[in-house]
């Protein structure tokens, strides 16, 4: 799966949703991929039938990633970062989850991919954590 990362989007929900049609969205308050700390990337796992973008199900296969799988982030200048999957968690977006808080507070360069879960619903979320190699 390949998709552009959209940077510079405010952390307002409407702005994030509006930009998901252009790729996956970097959650602006988080670190950028490759920097110290957690970089949070948001993407759709499934699209409504009337969805017009190309990235409506870009994160549909997140649940299949397993420890050791690789994620590559390539910037326009050619700089590439390789991340290795450490874990996946399923959580509720409506209450605090200590596991997610711990991932977000990681000091190592960490990539966190987040999408709705299970596919076709927005009941829960899946977060896949990967650390820079």
């Amino acid at each position: 799966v390949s998709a552009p990362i959209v940077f510079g989007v405010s952390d307002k929900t409407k702005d994030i949703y509006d930009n998901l049609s252009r790729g996956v969205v970097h959650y602006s308050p988080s670190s950028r991929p490759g920097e110290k700390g957690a970089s949070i990337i948001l993407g759709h796992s499934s699209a409504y039938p009337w969805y017009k973008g190309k990235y409506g199900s870009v994160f549909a296969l997140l649940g299949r990633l397993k420890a050791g799988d690789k994620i590559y982030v390539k910037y326009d200048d050619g700089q590439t970062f390789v991340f290795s999957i450490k874990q996946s968690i399923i959580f509720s977006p409506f209450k605090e989850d200590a596991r997610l808080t711990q991932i977000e507070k990681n000091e190592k360069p960490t990539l966190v991919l987040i999408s709705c879960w299970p596919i076709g619903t927005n009941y829960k979320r899946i977060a896949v954590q990967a650390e820079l190699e």
Side-chain angles (χ1 to χ4, degrees):
V1 173
S2 180
I5 300 174
V6 182
F7 290 98
V9 176
S10 82
D11 61 353
K12 293 183 174 128
T13 302
K14 181 184 181 329
D15 292 338
I16 292 169
Y17 281 121
D18 288 348
N19 280 280
L20 285 170
S21 64
R22 298 175 43 215
V24 294
V25 173
H26 171 256
Y27 184 64
S28 292
S30 71
S31 302
R32 289 176 67 96
E35 294 178 349
K36 180 180 172 185
S39 175
I40 299 172
I41 306 292
L42 308 167
H44 284 305
S45 61
S46 59
Y48 295 110
W50 56 86
Y51 179 80
K52 293 186 177 153
K54 296 190 307 187
Y55 304 101
S57 59
V58 68
F59 279 174
L61 300 177
L62 278 186
R64 292 188 181 179
L65 293 173
K66 58 189 180 307
D69 287 346
K70 307 289 185 228
I71 298 173
Y72 299 86
V73 175
K74 183 177 181 180
Y75 284 97
D76 289 339
D77 66 2
Q79 188 176 25
T80 302
F81 294 96
V82 180
F83 294 86
S84 182
I85 302 292
K86 297 299 176 194
Q87 67 173 328
S88 297
I89 63 169
I90 307 297
F91 66 97
S92 170
F94 307 111
K95 60 183 176 180
E96 281 289 316
D97 190 312
R99 299 170 302 161
L100 186 60
T101 302
Q102 185 172 355
I103 289 171
E104 291 173 342
K105 291 184 178 185
N106 193 341
E107 291 297 315
K108 296 178 184 176
T110 304
L111 189 64
V112 183
L113 308 179
I114 297 179
S115 193
C116 292
W117 188 261
I119 293 172
T121 73
N122 63 358
Y123 176 64
K124 293 193 177 195
R125 302 291 184 272
I126 183 170
V128 176
Q129 176 195 18
E131 290 182 355
L132 186 65
E133 290 193 340

